[in-house]
Amino acid sequence: MDLPVLNNPPPAATKGGCSASSCGSTDDQVNQLPDSIREKIQNHPCYSEDAHHYFARMHVAVAPACNIQCHYCNRKYDCANESRPGVVSELLTPDQAVKKTMAVAAKIPQMTVLGIAGPGDPLANPERTFETFRQLSKDAPDIKLCVSTNGLALPESVDELAKHNIDHVTITINTVDAAIGAQIYPWIFWKNRRVKGRKGAQILIDQQQKGLEMLVERGILVKVNSVMIPGINDQHLAEVSRIVKAKGAFLHNVMPLIAEAEHGTFYGVMGQRGPTPDELMDLQEACSGDMNMMRHCRQCRADAVGLLGEDRGSEFTLDKIDAMEIDYQSAMEMRKTVQEGILADMNEKRAAQAEKAKPKIPAGTRPVLIAVATSGQNLINQHFGHAKEFQIYQASPEGVKFMSHRKTDQYCSGDSTCGEAETALAMTIRSLQGCEAVLCSKIGYEPWEMLEEAGIVPNGEHAMERIEEAVMAVYLEMHQTGKLAERPAELSRASA
Ligand code: CLF
Ligand code: SF4
């Protein structure tokens, strides 16, 4: 089955109504999308860029062992295939994981997805992983179950995954070439022995491709994660993207390698660098010709809880859960009401936006990158100084497209010394390089001046407006005031 792909799938009620400003697919593709697929992704924050503004996910760290070695991984930490390196999660038993999931489901009604993504490989720990899924599919059938794997044990696990109604599987595929694979994976553990070099890499690649085909055959949605490693697989990932798309993968998520010496990984110690934001964006663009791309991944922890980019895990430690008094029956009813309300709201906003955000700018006008400070709900609702990250959108005559997010240090802590604050503010502004405007709910005088000096227009006039509409309004204003006639030399990246 070769599924049509899209960035911002519309909920069922708006079939075909996805606005040009936020949907990466043509109307034809949207119309071709079966209702069953749309239903699977409309409230999954990773599979739908739109949904990630509203719906939350959580991970439970039940899977300690791994069956391969990646050069970007240190086993003291969570699996780096879906997690930031250097992060350690508390290991849970399946019973503890179920208890935690039920508590989070009751307290965060917009939590729709339970994922297992570590701290090792979930399918290298089949008993623990499938026991957790088995209990949850029985106790909380409204929660979507999701798993992320390196793929080595995938073919033998596909039937079991299907049995537990798991609709979403992520496979980390960094290469389809064993020579490149040998530079990423020093060994795999296969049939009770360690297999090194190209031979091991070839087995892993074969298993990943076979697993992908088997999942697609069963109608399970597959997301492919790839870690971009400059000088190793960066020139090769567009080919990977083309191949996995041809086999029916639904989404491709190219993530940056994070390699720091203090993480103790092979790459970190050897000084292997990660990609710059521009390199990552260029590769995502190159891949997007062949395939729909996920650009909003936050490289979550193996015990993450909340909206993507948010971590509420500390509210749900086992001792805190024990102290909670929860009426599960009314909590489950509340979940239904809240989630239906969010979907209805998304539909309404999308329909309104389709009209308002229609580009009125001549074809051929240069595109612009615009940064946005948001704390969720798809609104411009965050103070510039409180933003820990900015979302980067590209505005062009074709519409508004989400491109990436850029993390920054929070400088407005309220008690920082002046010198430290200045340094952090300068870092924040550096993180916005290539952007021509930044939209936020409020901004102080000092950052305002510094942004202007850096050639970035600060804008607090669109507070509480929907992001795509506000970005398009600013772009339109830039067009009307002649600012798009020439591109400042230092902003050549904006046309990427
Ligand atoms: Fe978790 Fe992964 Fe499922 Fe999402 S995360 S198992 S698909 S529910 Fe999402 Fe987090 Fe990126 Fe993963 S933002 S690291 S892609
Ligand atoms: Fe580490 Fe994950 Fe690779 Fe295993 S699959 S070595 S846990 S990054």
Side-chain angles (χ1 to χ4, degrees):
M1 176 173 50
D2 196 3
L3 297 170
V5 292
L6 74 174
N7 271 339
N8 292 296
T14 58
K15 187 172 179 179
C18 184
S19 80
S21 67
S22 65
C23 181
S25 298
T26 64
D27 283 348
D28 274 356
Q29 283 174 312
V30 171
N31 287 330
Q32 283 166 21
L33 199 66
D35 285 348
S36 59
I37 305 290
R38 199 169 20 249
E39 200 275 324
K40 284 179 187 171
I41 58 179
Q42 65 181 351
N43 62 354
H44 194 307
C46 304
Y47 282 67
S48 158
E49 197 270 317
D50 204 12
H52 100 279
H53 296 290
Y54 306 93
F55 291 105
R57 55 73 185 102
M58 70 175 288
H59 289 165
V60 284
V62 293
C66 190
N67 47 10
I68 69 172
Q69 178 65 56
C70 305
H71 271 325
Y72 44 75
C73 178
N74 176 345
R75 287 167 187 283
K76 281 196 304 194
Y77 303 123
D78 290 354
C79 175
N81 280 340
E82 276 230 336
S83 311
R84 272 187 305 284
V87 169
V88 186
S89 297
E90 184 191 13
L91 189 66
L92 301 178
T93 65
D95 287 346
Q96 289 169 328
V98 171
K99 191 172 175 182
K100 179 173 176 177
T101 306
M102 297 303 288
V104 173
K107 296 285 179 187
I108 307 180
Q110 68 274 32
M111 188 280 285
T112 48
V113 178
L114 179 280
I116 301 182
D121 185 75
L123 301 183
N125 302 260
E127 294 82 14
R128 298 172 65 96
T129 295
F130 289 119
E131 176 56 19
T132 308
F133 284 147
R134 190 191 63 73
Q135 289 191 40
L136 282 172
S137 56
K138 182 166 67 68
D139 296 350
D142 74 317
I143 298 177
K144 290 183 192 304
L145 303 177
C146 193
V147 67
S148 169
T149 177
N150 62 42
L152 183 63
L154 184 55
E156 72 208 46
S157 309
V158 168
D159 286 341
E160 192 72 13
L161 288 165
K163 203 165 98 189
H164 294 285
N165 272 340
I166 290 157
D167 283 334
H168 303 81
V169 175
T170 297
I171 317 170
T172 298
I173 300 180
N174 294 321
T175 179
V176 291
D177 178 332
I180 295 173
Q183 299 174 64
I184 302 171
Y185 309 106
W187 55 261
I188 66 164
F189 198 71
W190 179 248
K191 299 193 189 301
N192 298 317
R193 65 188 179 95
R194 203 170 277 210
V195 185
K196 296 184 185 166
R198 286 178 72 144
K199 203 169 165 198
Q202 189 63 57
I203 293 169
L204 178 62
I205 290 165
D206 291 345
Q207 289 289 97
Q208 290 170 337
Q209 296 298 316
K210 188 175 169 195
L212 166 61
E213 289 162 18
M214 291 172 74
L215 290 168
V216 171
E217 261 172 36
R218 284 162 177 76
I220 295 173
L221 294 186
V222 181
K223 171 165 73 64
V224 169
N225 279 2
S226 301
V227 181
M228 179 184 181
I229 311 163
I232 306 278
N233 69 349
D234 51 339
Q235 301 297 316
H236 169 63
L237 282 178
E239 172 74 355
V240 171
S241 208
R242 192 187 60 71
I243 289 170
V244 299
K245 160 72 192 316
K247 291 190 175 177
F250 188 75
L251 197 60
H252 192 193
N253 174 24
V254 178
M255 308 186 299
L257 172 76
I258 303 172
E260 306 288 347
E262 60 266 32
H263 295 154
T265 61
F266 177 82
Y267 282 154
V269 171
M270 298 304 285
Q272 169 65 51
R273 73 173 180 90
T276 64
D278 287 353
E279 288 170 336
L280 181 66
M281 213 155 68
D282 283 346
L283 178 58
Q284 288 172 333
E285 280 300 289
C287 293
S288 68
D290 287 311
M291 186 166 190
N292 197 47
M293 301 301 293
M294 175 180 188
R295 299 168 194 265
H296 58 284
C297 175
R298 299 301 201 279
Q299 290 173 278
C300 314
R301 299 171 60 114
D303 61 358
V305 175
L307 294 172
L308 301 192
E310 175 180 74
D311 193 359
R312 297 181 59 182
S314 61
E315 296 171 39
F316 298 95
T317 53
L318 291 175
D319 54 332
K320 286 186 183 158
I321 291 170
D322 279 337
M324 287 176 186
E325 284 184 18
I326 300 172
D327 173 350
Y328 281 101
Q329 195 179 340
S330 51
M332 294 308 139
E333 283 161 18
M334 169 71 83
R335 284 176 60 74
K336 192 163 183 285
T337 309
V338 168
Q339 291 179 22
E340 284 173 358
I342 292 173
L343 285 174
D345 197 41
M346 284 168 71
N347 280 343
E348 201 179 299
K349 284 179 177 159
R350 188 179 291 110
Q353 175 201 324
E355 259 322 295
K356 283 194 201 165
K358 263 188 195 147
K360 300 171 183 104
I361 294 180
T365 306
R366 74 180 176 87
V368 164
L369 292 183
I370 295 177
V372 163
T374 176
S375 60
Q377 308 302 311
N378 207 5
L379 298 174
I380 293 169
N381 55 4
Q382 195 168 42
H383 191 298
F384 180 86
H386 296 163
K388 289 181 179 168
E389 64 173 31
F390 289 90
Q391 302 206 0
I392 311 297
Y393 287 80
Q394 184 190 62
S396 74
E398 287 75 48
V400 175
K401 183 166 139 190
F402 176 81
M403 299 299 285
S404 66
H405 60 93
R406 296 194 194 160
K407 291 191 184 306
T408 179
D409 286 331
Q410 199 173 4
Y411 71 89
C412 193
S413 60
D415 61 353
S416 52
T417 66
C418 182
E420 283 170 352
E422 280 175 357
T423 305
L425 175 55
M427 278 170 57
T428 300
I429 290 172
R430 258 203 312 280
S431 77
L432 298 176
Q433 202 176 11
C435 297
E436 296 186 44
V438 58
L439 311 189
C440 52
S441 62
K442 279 187 178 172
I443 183 167
Y445 182 68
E446 186 189 7
W448 183 286
E449 276 199 321
M450 284 180 69
L451 281 164
E452 283 193 330
E453 275 169 26
I456 303 168
V457 178
N459 187 321
E461 290 168 20
H462 295 273
M464 298 314 291
E465 286 181 18
R466 192 168 154 90
I467 292 173
E468 287 85 353
E469 287 166 30
V471 169
M472 184 46 74
V474 170
Y475 185 57
L476 189 58
E477 192 183 330
M478 289 172 85
H479 167 63
Q480 287 164 344
T481 53
K483 294 204 175 87
L484 301 179
E486 281 181 27
R487 174 171 47 225
E490 71 277 15
L491 293 175
S492 56
R493 282 285 318 139
S495 63

